[in-house]
């Protein structure tokens, strides 16, 4: 279908940062006061629920300088609008004090008191199929995917086309194998993988209002794997058009920048609800050869309605939610996406 279009599109298969400083009452942010009765050698504060799965980032305490009992430490988020945080104090005796989902906008002083031995990592589900990348694979390509239903990962058909083996990496860093065959629709460029034991939040699809030109969107995924860092990337943009390449009614056009490897990743609105599946970018070189001009930042996603239709034909009822009220920050939408977005490795 892309070959018949006037312009070729390039298919894309391929802890909140925290600043801290000395405690002072008139400074922004929130205070952490150690009420555990022991020195704390580690202090971690990350946006809710980034502390789940052991994703705590780096300690805010200087090595060799513990936080004594009843002493305070001020944390200043880089995003002043952030309100919900998970907090973790690691004590000198190895115990931990963890506070979850703290509203630091309403309560600017957190006082962890109770401490216990750290919880061991949760055992993988019995039906999980742990896997590791095959370093001897002759050809490897990568893409992105997201949780569309329990143990189901949606991505693009071109991400999984021709793969002998498909494995996904979870946000916690586990590798799990997808069970063949994938359900695919080549015309819509969508695929649905079954990944036994994959336990991650399912994204909600936007139920209302209808998407409009100018609506803000967030693309999330793993562009240029092997060149950029291995962590997921977030780009922000807008809906530019309600049709895709060559007037393709199964796509929308977006300004959120995407690269090879973003294919199959979620496109979310500013309420954290899914409005599309990242699929392609305009091939600027081909356009330049034809027109003499370089097209800039023209990208496409499979539209919401096409993705819903695909899931319904797979006998899956997707989660739906209305996008009304105050919008979230881009960073908060990224936190929603992070928990549900998977790195996909295709081995041939």
């Amino acid at each position: 279908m892309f070959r018949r279009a006037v312009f070729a599109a390039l298919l894309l298969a391929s802890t909140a940062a925290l600043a801290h400083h000395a405690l002072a009452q008139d400074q922004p942010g929130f205070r952490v006061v150690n009420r555990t009765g022991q020195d704390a050698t580690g202090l971690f504060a990350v946006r809710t629920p980034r502390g789940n799965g052991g994703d705590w980032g780096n300690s805010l305490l200087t090595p060799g300088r513990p936080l004594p009992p009843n002493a305070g430490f001020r944390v200043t988020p880089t995003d002043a609008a952030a309100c919900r945080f998970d907090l973790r104090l690691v004590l000198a005796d190895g115990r931990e004090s963890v506070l979850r989902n703290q509203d630091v906008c309403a309560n600017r002083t957190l006082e962890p008191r109770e401490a216990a031995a750290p919880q061991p990592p949760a055992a993988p589900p019995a039906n999980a199929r742990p896997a590791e990348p095959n370093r001897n694979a002759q050809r490897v390509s990568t893409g992105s995917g997201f949780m569309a239903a329990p143990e189901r990962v949606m991505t693009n058909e071109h991400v999984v086309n021709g793969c002998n083996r498909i494995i996904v990496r979870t946000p916690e860093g586990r590798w799990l194998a997808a069970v063949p065959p994938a359900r695919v629709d080549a015309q819509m460029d969508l695929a649905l993988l079954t990944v036994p034991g994959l336990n991650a939040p399912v994204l909600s699809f936007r139920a209302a209002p209808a998407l409009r030109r100018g609506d803000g969107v967030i693309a999330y995924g793993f562009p240029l794997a092997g060149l950029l860092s291995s962590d997921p990337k977030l780009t922000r943009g807008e809906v530019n058009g309600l049709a895709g390449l060559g007037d393709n009614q199964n796509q929308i056009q977006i300004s959120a920048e995407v690269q090879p490897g973003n294919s199959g990743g979620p496109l979310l609105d500013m309420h954290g609800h899914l409005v599309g599946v990242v699929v392609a970018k305009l091939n600027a070189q081909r356009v330049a050869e034809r027109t003499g001009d370089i097209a800039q930042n023209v990208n496409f996603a499979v539209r919401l309605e096409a993705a819903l239709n695909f899931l319904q034909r797979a006998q899956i009822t997707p989660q739906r939610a209305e996008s009304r009220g105050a919008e979230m920050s881009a960073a908060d939408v990224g936190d929603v996406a992070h928990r549900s977005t998977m790195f996909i490795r295709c081995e041939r």
Side-chain angles (χ1 to χ4, degrees):
M1 178 171 59
F2 289 105
R3 294 194 185 98
R4 294 197 298 268
V6 175
F7 297 132
L10 176 64
L11 296 178
L12 301 175
S14 183
T15 305
L18 294 169
H20 60 90
H21 42 71
L23 185 64
Q25 290 294 336
D26 59 349
Q27 292 175 336
F30 59 95
R31 298 175 61 202
V32 178
V33 180
N34 179 9
R35 301 296 191 192
T36 64
Q38 285 214 14
D39 283 353
T41 57
L43 168 60
F44 304 83
V46 293
R47 274 206 182 117
T48 300
R50 292 291 296 277
N52 293 341
D55 183 11
W56 287 100
N58 298 321
S59 173
L60 302 179
L61 299 180
T62 302
R65 296 181 60 183
L67 184 66
N70 301 316
F73 189 95
R74 183 168 294 278
V75 177
T76 305
T78 54
D79 183 354
C83 286
R84 295 282 178 178
F85 280 84
D86 291 349
L87 180 75
R88 173 176 168 239
L89 273 184
V90 178
L91 307 185
D93 63 2
R95 293 182 301 149
E96 296 181 352
S97 182
V98 177
L99 300 177
R100 298 280 188 185
N101 197 24
Q102 300 297 299
D103 187 348
V104 300
C105 295
N107 178 20
R108 294 192 173 274
T109 300
L110 304 182
E111 300 183 65
R113 298 175 182 274
E114 302 297 327
Q119 293 292 321
N127 64 334
R129 299 181 59 178
E132 290 294 332
N134 177 10
R135 305 303 177 186
N136 296 319
Q138 294 183 350
R139 289 190 300 151
V140 173
S141 61
T142 65
S144 306
F146 61 90
M147 296 295 294
E151 298 187 339
R152 299 293 188 274
V153 174
M154 179 175 275
T155 186
N156 291 144
E157 186 272 343
H158 74 261
V159 170
V160 301
N161 185 20
C163 302
N164 295 326
R165 181 173 181 253
I166 302 170
I167 58 177
V168 302
R169 188 181 69 216
T170 71
E172 295 80 28
R174 291 190 300 140
W175 287 98
L176 295 173
V179 176
R183 185 182 183 97
V184 300
D185 186 317
Q187 183 176 11
M188 289 187 181
D189 203 351
L190 291 174
L192 190 65
L193 306 176
T194 299
V195 186
L198 179 55
N199 182 21
V202 173
L203 290 177
S204 293
F205 289 70
R206 176 168 168 151
L211 198 63
R212 301 186 301 165
R213 299 173 189 86
D215 278 348
V217 290
I218 298 291
Y220 202 81
F222 297 88
L224 300 173
L227 179 62
L228 303 180
S229 60
S230 61
D231 64 313
K233 308 297 185 297
L234 177 154
T235 55
R236 182 172 184 172
E238 295 178 340
V239 176
N240 299 132
L242 300 180
L245 191 68
D247 208 28
N248 185 344
Q249 297 301 307
N250 287 327
Q251 296 180 358
I252 59 173
Q253 182 180 328
I254 59 175
S255 64
E257 295 180 359
V258 296
Q259 308 295 338
N262 274 116
S263 272
L267 184 73
L268 304 173
D269 65 16
M270 301 311 296
H271 292 82
H273 300 147
L274 195 94
V275 294
V277 184
V278 175
V279 66
K281 64 183 294 185
L282 195 67
N283 190 325
Q285 182 177 354
R286 292 279 298 274
V287 173
E289 291 172 354
R290 186 177 182 90
T291 68
D293 189 27
I294 299 176
Q296 298 183 22
N297 200 21
V298 180
N299 312 288
F300 302 99
V302 178
R303 68 185 306 134
L304 168 68
E305 293 81 4
L308 288 171
N309 178 269
F310 175 72
L311 287 177
Q312 289 164 356
R313 285 188 283 116
Q315 298 184 332
I316 289 177
T317 302
Q319 293 183 178
R320 305 291 301 274
E322 294 191 355
S323 294
R324 303 188 189 278
E327 293 186 342
M328 301 165 64
S329 70
D332 285 341
V333 175
D335 286 345
V336 172
H338 180 83
R339 306 191 301 269
S340 304
T341 303
M342 309 295 153
F343 178 78
I344 298 177
R345 176 181 168 98
C346 165
E347 297 176 350
R348 297 177 175 87

